[in-house]
Amino acid sequence: GELAMDNVMQARRLSPLDPLRYFFDSLSATAALSANDFQAAADFAATSYRLNRRHASTLRALIVSQWRLGRADEARKFVGELLEIEPGFTVSRWFERSPSSGFPIGTAWASALREAGVPA
């Protein structure tokens, strides 16, 4: 988590005006999640969301961070939005293709997604 945060912060410094800034913000949110910094993850994901409301990775980061912060209603709102843009999305399908699936962090994120209302 800490190394991931160092790397995304360096990427952000190198490309401060990138036209795909939402993507850097989404990556930053995921790195913050891996560092268990749920507030930073929520902040980065919210910034990404304002720039691109249809980026599924951003919505997943919003769901996990909001759920871990105890903001269940917010997390569930983003579950609805995720399922609108990706109707067949399930936790099990995500887990199968996620590079984090072989690690405890992947299991924790899958649990948060499921608890927030993403179909298993």
Side-chain angles (χ1 to χ4, degrees):
E2 194 172 313
L3 180 58
M5 282 301 296
D6 291 343
N7 289 332
V8 296
M9 296 312 285
Q10 176 66 9
R12 294 168 67 81
R13 283 189 293 277
L14 291 172
S15 191
L17 302 174
D18 197 292
L20 297 177
R21 181 61 184 225
Y22 79 90
F23 186 70
F24 284 95
D25 292 331
S26 183
L27 290 174
S28 299
T30 303
L33 284 176
S34 71
N36 292 318
D37 187 344
F38 303 119
Q39 186 58 59
D43 293 343
F44 284 126
T47 300
S48 177
Y49 178 77
R50 281 191 294 276
L51 296 170
N52 184 347
R53 296 168 94 72
R54 300 190 56 78
H55 187 237
S57 183
T58 296
L59 289 167
R60 290 190 301 270
L62 278 166
I63 294 164
V64 173
S65 61
Q66 295 296 335
W67 189 260
R68 293 293 184 217
L69 289 168
R71 300 174 187 156
D73 290 340
E74 278 295 301
R76 288 187 183 108
K77 175 190 135 200
F78 293 120
V79 168
E81 291 187 34
L82 175 63
L83 295 176
E84 278 182 31
I85 64 167
E86 214 176 315
F89 184 81
T90 65
V91 174
S92 59
R93 285 190 195 132
W94 170 80
F95 198 72
E96 287 172 4
R97 68 179 195 237
S98 173
S100 67
S101 65
F103 300 93
I105 197 78
T107 302
W109 294 350
S111 175
L113 290 168
R114 195 171 21 261
E115 292 167 8
V118 175

